[in-house]
Amino acid sequence: MCHNTFYFAKPGAWILDPFAGSSTTGIAANLANRRYLGIDMETEFLEISKNRKLEIENPTIAETYKQKINGFNDKNELRLFLAQELKEEYAPALEF
């Protein structure tokens, strides 16, 4: 799934991600005021997704992420940053 799908959906719209993984799309969608439904078969990814969702319920953390998103020159730059951040943050859990 393209991680910038939420840019094409109206605020409040649902984003369905049938292969959610660690829900990077979901985090970005939630921060952009979209609703998100992610599906994945892997229990490890579901746990990571749940923890990431709980993390952005903290207003301070959510604001930090929003500032990061707004600080990019284009969507591709944001996508590359998110992929690298995810790899660094979850590498031990996923044994990269």
Side-chain angles (χ1 to χ4, degrees):
M1 170 172 247
C2 179
H3 292 293
N4 62 4
T5 301
F6 55 89
Y7 286 113
F8 302 106
K10 294 179 181 178
W14 279 96
I15 305 296
L16 172 64
D17 186 356
F19 306 100
S22 60
S23 297
T24 300
T25 298
I27 297 305
N30 286 175
L31 292 172
N33 297 317
R34 275 58 172 185
R35 296 181 286 177
Y36 174 78
L37 175 61
I39 302 166
D40 206 286
M41 292 176 47
E42 300 295 328
T43 306
E44 298 147 51
F45 284 118
L46 294 173
E47 281 299 313
I48 291 169
S49 296
K50 183 172 71 173
N51 290 334
R52 293 183 81 196
K53 171 64 173 152
L54 292 173
E55 182 180 49
I56 65 165
E57 288 178 2
N58 176 319
T60 304
I61 293 172
E63 187 58 36
T64 299
Y65 284 166
K66 286 179 184 179
Q67 287 175 356
K68 287 181 181 182
I69 290 170
N70 291 330
F72 293 94
N73 296 317
D74 57 40
K75 295 174 191 173
N76 190 48
E77 190 177 335
L78 168 61
R79 186 172 37 252
L80 292 171
F81 173 80
L82 290 174
Q84 183 60 37
E85 185 176 73
L86 176 67
K87 186 176 181 180
E88 291 171 5
E89 185 172 349
Y90 294 103
L94 299 175
E95 299 177 8
F96 281 123

